[in-house]
Amino acid sequence: MNLSKIFDISGSALSAQTTRLNTIASNLANADTASTTPEAAYRARHPVFATVLQEATGAGQSTGQPAASVRIAGIVESQAPAIARHEPGHPLADENGYIYLPAVNTVEQMADMISASRSYSSSVDVLTTTKELMLRTLQLGRG
Amino acid sequence: MSSITDRALGIHTQALEVASRRLELLASNIANADTPGYKARDLDFRALLNQASNDQAAARITTTRAGHIATTPAAGGLGGDALYRVPNHASLDGNTVDTQQEHAVFAENAVRYQASLDFINSRLSGLRKALKGE
């Protein structure tokens, strides 16, 4: 009987979704950051999730039931080219009068943010239920 | 566990174990809802419980020496593999978790767990009353 593993699993999900929310916040915050060259323009970041199969731990635990938590395998930068905008009056404009804006799609980021916050609250629900069950298990035989 | 509590608690300890392992798997599914390529898994509660009750009824071969090979998968453990869930709709990144479905199954399983706990609790208080002789 091991409910405590659920805390690890859902905890890893919470941390992964937090990282996702962080990158989204950074993308949205930098959506309007102009730069002089296309290379210097901010690139949108996206976390890559990966499953971690936990080892079948300890005696009494039979094989074949690997519980799986999540980890961030890495954060990739978007390869979408920066958007050139002709703004000769801009202080950062190059000799041709262009500034370069990051290719961040705000609507896409907002949708991603909602998805991340939904997943986050899912895991919180799982944690709450598990906590209640554990507390009830501890009360066993007292009633 | 001694035979008296074993007999008194019956199938409920096994049910509790199956439910807790199943909760763990379902939590994994929900945690990996956004992981590309993750395949949702679940246990067949009924099949595992049937197996557990058959194990209980059948005579067990005891291991009396260190060299003997145990007949059960692990001490008190229940065998049976986690099965893969058949997805209702395929997702492009190969993930087969349906969060709503997993939530529903998780909730149902939490109730099963609580039911088993309640059963064990009432059996225990019954035993206690019998011992007190009131």
Side-chain angles (χ1 to χ4, degrees):
Chain A
M1 221 145 342
N2 196 359
L3 285 179
S4 55
K5 245 199 238 169
I6 298 181
F7 286 96
D8 293 344
I9 295 165
S10 293
S12 77
L14 291 184
S15 123
Q17 298 297 343
T18 309
T19 311
R20 189 170 161 207
L21 282 170
N22 263 329
T23 57
I24 293 168
S26 143
N27 293 344
L28 282 175
N30 283 290
D32 292 321
T33 315
S35 48
T36 318
T37 59
E39 292 76 34
Y42 175 83
R43 292 186 179 281
R45 283 143 210 268
H46 300 283
V48 179
F49 286 4
T51 309
V52 190
L53 288 186
Q54 307 222 328
E55 295 163 40
T57 47
Q61 209 48 324
S62 57
T63 53
Q65 328 285 306
S69 52
V70 203
R71 73 186 167 92
I72 301 279
I75 290 177
V76 293
E77 289 197 333
S78 157
Q79 293 305 309
I83 300 159
R85 195 195 290 165
H86 189 65
E87 259 187 55
H90 201 281
L92 287 173
D94 62 7
E95 63 270 20
N96 298 319
Y98 281 100
I99 56 165
Y100 297 91
L101 293 167
V104 174
N105 186 338
T106 318
V107 179
E108 207 176 85
Q109 297 294 328
M110 292 298 282
D112 207 21
M113 185 187 79
I114 293 168
S115 166
S117 72
R118 288 270 189 280
S119 299
Y120 190 94
S121 48
S122 286
S123 289
V124 171
D125 284 351
V126 170
L127 274 184
T128 319
T129 311
T130 310
K131 194 191 80 186
E132 272 167 23
L133 288 182
M134 272 194 105
L135 289 178
R136 287 192 60 150
T137 315
L138 287 174
Q139 296 287 323
L140 196 60
R142 287 194 197 162
Chain B
M1 228 183 265
S2 69
S3 62
I4 184 165
T5 44
D6 242 2
R7 231 174 287 160
L9 302 181
I11 195 75
H12 300 299
T13 49
Q14 269 110 350
L16 205 59
E17 197 182 327
V18 174
S20 76
R21 283 209 350 240
R22 202 165 166 222
L23 282 174
E24 201 178 279
L25 269 182
L26 295 172
S28 296
N29 289 348
I30 294 174
N32 281 286
D34 297 319
T35 312
Y38 180 85
K39 309 288 182 219
R41 307 184 78 179
D42 198 359
L43 292 170
D44 188 343
F45 190 91
R46 197 176 296 269
L48 273 181
L49 211 55
N50 272 338
Q51 185 197 332
S53 56
N54 288 341
D55 275 1
Q56 211 176 30
R60 284 217 182 118
I61 303 168
T62 50
T63 54
T64 50
R65 282 180 177 220
H68 288 172
I69 298 164
T71 49
T72 43
L78 298 163
D81 284 329
L83 310 169
Y84 288 97
R85 207 187 285 297
V86 178
N88 284 331
H89 49 83
S91 136
L92 273 180
D93 62 3
N95 187 304
T96 62
V97 180
D98 182 341
T99 315
Q100 279 74 31
Q101 193 191 357
E102 299 297 337
H103 264 298
V105 182
F106 189 89
E108 185 223 340
N109 210 46
V111 173
R112 273 182 204 270
Y113 188 95
Q114 294 206 0
S116 294
L117 275 184
D118 285 351
F119 270 117
I120 292 177
N121 248 336
S122 60
R123 294 277 173 97
L124 282 178
S125 62
L127 272 179
R128 190 176 288 136
K129 269 181 198 150
L131 287 170
K132 273 183 186 163
E134 282 168 2

